[in-house]
Amino acid sequence: MQLSKTIIASIKKDPVLSVPSEAQLELPEKVLQFGTGVLLRGLPDYFIDKANKQHIFNGRVVVVKSTDTGGADAFDTQNGLYTICVRGLEEGKQVNEYIVNSAISRVLSAKSQWQQILEVAQNPQLEVVISNTTEMGIVMSDDKVTDQPPASFPGKLLAVLYERFKTFKGSRESGLVIIPTELIIDNGRQLKDIIVKLAEQNQLEAAFISWLNDANHFCSSLVDRIVPGKLAGDDLEQTQQQLGYTDDLMIMSEVFRLWAIEAADPRVAEVLSFAKTDPGVVIAPDIEKFRELKLRLLNGTHTLSCGLAYLCGFETVKAAMADKNFDAFVTKLSKTELARAVAGTNISYEEACKFADAVIERFKNPFLEHKWLSISFAYTSKMLMRNVPLIKKYYGSGEGSASSAIALGFAAYLLFMKSKQEGTVYMGSANGTQYVINDDKAAVLSQKWNAHTDPAAVAEAVLADTGLWNEDLNQVPGFAEAVKQQLQFLTQSGAQAALQNIIKE
């Protein structure tokens, strides 16, 4: 049988399966969501469903999709229901649970059902707008508010807000809490700026622009959860057999979840009452520290680990973390070194270590197949953005040493980037296997290796290249010597030996 509201009562009882009640399927529509992607279904919609099951938020989501399938799709067939398989580690324990999510009431096509979407704007119970339209979705356009529909996401949102303004005659109470989740810094502020400019471009009345600014809350937010999406064939078949139904919308997510929402007005927390049901939702006047923790301790640890892991022969994060030596390296890197560099005015060392512990558990997730070669994409620019500020801080504090995991991670990056040009691509080699280097600086690094025979000279030349780092990293006290030493050891003794050596220190 296929998942839909008609079979809810027939689903067999299972302690690891959560299903909605009939009442939850009839809750009012309080959220308008632009996007049907797995991140939205695995994070914001997850929180809303969880709150509804605890009788807290008591509202459902109308989803806007940008395309038109030309007929009924899985959302229609399944009445918006879908299963989330939550899998991973939490506080050392393996989690494997299933949730029939009933947060979505219906899905509307912007192309063919635009009038119905405008009617959602007229709903007095509507309180929240959520979006995830990719980074390219929040851009200025030439949309007219009268287009049916406007082409861009900001154009569509402006039309919805203008419809609401007209319906409720500009009442302050009719304003909405608008939360973009696109991966852009200050996404709420940027979206608001575009909406206001677009309103002015459309020559909409001053009263509407005042209402936009005063009655609505555009909240910047940060999302963090790995939601791979559909299960693989055998896994999907086994899971559906276990649950007793088929589900064309079933997705998987890791256990870790974070939705940091920037808001100082108490009304925002009042509207977003689902935050009360899960510590993964954080509403704070400033969310910069959450961005810093994610960038430095999750993304930064990935970047300083990927070259070494691949040189050691590990294809996936899971495989690397199953090795006790690599596990020890990541722990030293993230908790002993990066966490100390992250700690400062707004982040305590204890907070950084707690986040690092969660990162280590996420790396160990046995249900995820995250490939190191994928992580190495745009390696150099990631190293610059994520790690160079911490390298300067850590070594500048006097804590850096030749035996630091940071130095080994950077040296492994240099060796990973050693390549030969073959046609239009640059190929590296490790453990008898060639790999493509997907980095716009591959040519620069290849030239450095071709120009020098001594690894120490390569390290010095790369570190001195201001075109790569915007400064000469040889000037960071002790860092160049540490990298040279680690690179020399890597080239002479190999990655596994270097890994064992660093964790003995």
Side-chain angles (χ1 to χ4, degrees), residues 37-46 82 84 225 227 251 253:
V38 294
L39 177 65
L40 289 174
R41 290 197 283 133
L43 195 64
D45 297 345
Y46 164 89
Y82 63 95
I84 303 179
R225 190 177 214 182
V227 187
I251 60 173
S253 80

Side-chain angles (χ1 to χ4, degrees), residues 138-194:
I138 300 184
V139 291
M140 189 62 185
S141 72
D142 294 323
D143 286 330
K144 292 182 173 57
V145 74
T146 53
D147 290 344
Q148 299 287 322
S152 70
F153 159 57
K156 292 181 180 73
L157 178 57
L158 176 64
V160 165
L161 291 170
Y162 191 53
E163 183 70 23
R164 191 165 182 84
F165 169 79
K166 291 186 296 182
T167 299
F168 297 101
K169 298 180 171 51
S171 71
R172 189 176 182 85
E173 294 74 22
S174 63
L176 302 174
V177 175
I178 301 161
I179 318 169
T181 67
E182 288 81 355
L183 297 177
I184 303 171
I185 295 175
D186 291 333
N187 46 22
R189 178 188 57 77
Q190 291 199 42
L191 178 59
K192 181 178 181 179
D193 289 347
I194 290 172

Side-chain angles (χ1 to χ4, degrees), residues 330-344:
V330 168
T331 300
K332 177 177 182 177
L333 173 66
S334 60
K335 295 187 69 174
T336 304
E337 299 180 14
L338 296 182
R340 293 190 186 282
V342 166

Side-chain angles (χ1 to χ4, degrees), residues 113 118 120 158 182 281 350 372 408 463:
Q113 297 172 297
L118 292 180
V120 174
L158 176 64
E182 288 81 355
V281 185
E350 291 71 24
W372 287 113
L408 176 57
L463 291 171

Side-chain angles (χ1 to χ4, degrees), residues 250-465:
M250 185 180 292
I251 60 173
M252 187 187 98
S253 80
E254 67 171 334
V255 181
F256 183 89
R257 64 266 180 206
L258 173 65
W259 191 13
I261 301 169
E262 190 166 275
D265 193 314
R267 179 176 178 269
V268 173
E270 183 181 329
V271 169
L272 306 180
S273 58
F274 53 77
K276 300 174 184 176
T277 63
D278 196 299
V281 185
V282 178
I283 302 173
D286 187 346
I287 62 170
E288 182 56 35
K289 80 171 183 178
F290 299 101
R291 183 174 292 109
E292 184 75 359
L293 287 168
K294 179 186 176 184
L295 179 66
R296 308 304 182 193
L297 293 177
L298 173 64
N299 305 137
T301 300
H302 263 149
T303 300
L304 277 169
S305 300
C306 68
L308 181 63
Y310 194 79
L311 294 174
C312 283
F314 303 119
E315 285 195 17
T316 65
V317 177
K318 176 177 69 175
M321 295 304 291
D323 181 270
K324 65 177 183 180
N325 290 334
F326 199 84
D327 183 356
F329 166 78
V330 168
T331 300
K332 177 177 182 177
L333 173 66
S334 60
K335 295 187 69 174
T336 304
E337 299 180 14
L338 296 182
R340 293 190 186 282
V342 166
T345 305
N346 298 321
I347 302 172
S348 68
Y349 177 61
E350 291 71 24
E351 282 180 300
C353 282
K354 183 179 179 180
F355 194 89
D357 283 333
V359 166
I360 292 168
E361 280 200 324
R362 297 171 76 181
F363 280 21
K364 292 180 178 180
N365 191 333
F367 300 101
L368 296 179
E369 296 288 341
H370 204 174
K371 295 186 180 296
W372 287 113
L373 279 182
S374 298
I375 294 169
S376 72
F377 181 82
Y379 205 166
T380 305
S381 62
K382 286 177 180 176
M383 187 69 77
L384 169 62
M385 182 176 67
R386 299 171 175 180
N387 297 117
V388 167
L390 292 190
I391 288 169
K392 292 163 60 179
K393 187 174 179 183
Y394 187 68
Y395 274 83
S397 69
E399 295 191 63
S401 68
S403 61
S404 79
I406 290 175
L408 176 57
F410 196 95
Y413 149 76
L414 293 176
L415 187 55
F416 179 91
M417 294 293 292
K418 183 179 182 180
S419 67
K420 291 183 178 180
Q421 186 174 5
E422 295 187 9
T424 59
V425 299
Y426 288 84
M427 303 294 297
S429 178
N431 306 304
T433 303
Q434 284 193 311
Y435 55 91
V436 177
I437 295 177
N438 287 304
D439 189 317
D440 63 352
K441 304 298 183 182
V444 176
L445 271 293
S446 183
Q447 290 166 6
K448 305 287 189 194
W449 278 102
N450 290 334
H452 304 279
T453 55
D454 178 23
V458 174
E460 185 168 341
V462 173
L463 291 171
D465 193 329

Side-chain angles (χ1 to χ4, degrees), residues 32-34 40 129-133 138 153 179-182 191:
L32 183 62
Q33 175 176 298
F34 288 85
L40 289 174
V129 174
I130 302 169
S131 70
N132 193 299
T133 57
I138 300 184
F153 159 57
I179 318 169
T181 67
E182 288 81 355
L191 178 59

Side-chain angles (χ1 to χ4, degrees), residues 55-260:
H55 310 290
I56 301 292
F57 182 67
N58 296 320
R60 302 183 77 197
V61 180
V62 179
V63 176
V64 177
K65 61 178 179 179
S66 57
T67 58
D68 189 353
T69 59
D73 61 14
F75 286 102
D76 294 326
T77 304
Q78 297 185 182
N79 306 117
L81 299 173
Y82 63 95
T83 310
I84 303 179
C85 308
V86 181
R87 296 173 173 176
L89 300 174
E90 188 171 45
E91 297 180 355
K93 297 179 181 178
Q94 186 166 303
V95 174
N96 196 349
E97 62 181 18
Y98 306 92
I99 301 160
V100 175
N101 189 300
S102 62
I104 295 176
S105 62
R106 52 187 171 139
V107 176
L108 300 175
S109 166
K111 184 176 180 181
S112 62
Q113 297 172 297
W114 182 241
Q115 192 55 44
Q116 292 181 53
I117 293 167
L118 292 180
E119 288 170 4
V120 174
Q122 300 167 8
N123 176 7
Q125 292 180 293
L126 184 67
E127 295 181 327
V128 182
V129 174
I130 302 169
S131 70
N132 193 299
T133 57
T134 78
E135 296 90 308
M136 296 307 295
I138 300 184
V139 291
M140 189 62 185
S141 72
D142 294 323
D143 286 330
K144 292 182 173 57
V145 74
T146 53
D147 290 344
Q148 299 287 322
S152 70
F153 159 57
K156 292 181 180 73
L157 178 57
L158 176 64
V160 165
L161 291 170
Y162 191 53
E163 183 70 23
R164 191 165 182 84
F165 169 79
K166 291 186 296 182
T167 299
F168 297 101
K169 298 180 171 51
S171 71
R172 189 176 182 85
E173 294 74 22
S174 63
L176 302 174
V177 175
I178 301 161
I179 318 169
T181 67
E182 288 81 355
L183 297 177
I184 303 171
I185 295 175
D186 291 333
N187 46 22
R189 178 188 57 77
Q190 291 199 42
L191 178 59
K192 181 178 181 179
D193 289 347
I194 290 172
I195 293 291
V196 171
K197 288 178 184 176
L198 200 52
E200 293 171 343
Q201 182 175 289
N202 275 262
Q203 298 182 335
L204 299 179
E205 55 264 49
F208 170 66
I209 295 175
S210 295
W211 179 82
L212 271 181
N213 285 308
D214 300 335
N216 297 275
H217 300 271
F218 288 79
C219 304
S220 292
S221 81
L222 172 73
V223 289
D224 189 6
R225 190 177 214 182
I226 298 172
V227 187
K230 290 187 175 182
L231 279 62
D234 289 344
D235 189 9
L236 176 61
E237 186 176 339
Q238 292 171 9
T239 301
Q240 290 185 144
Q241 188 173 6
Q242 175 188 344
L243 299 178
Y245 60 83
T246 59
D247 181 355
D248 294 337
L249 296 170
M250 185 180 292
I251 60 173
M252 187 187 98
S253 80
E254 67 171 334
V255 181
F256 183 89
R257 64 266 180 206
L258 173 65
W259 191 13

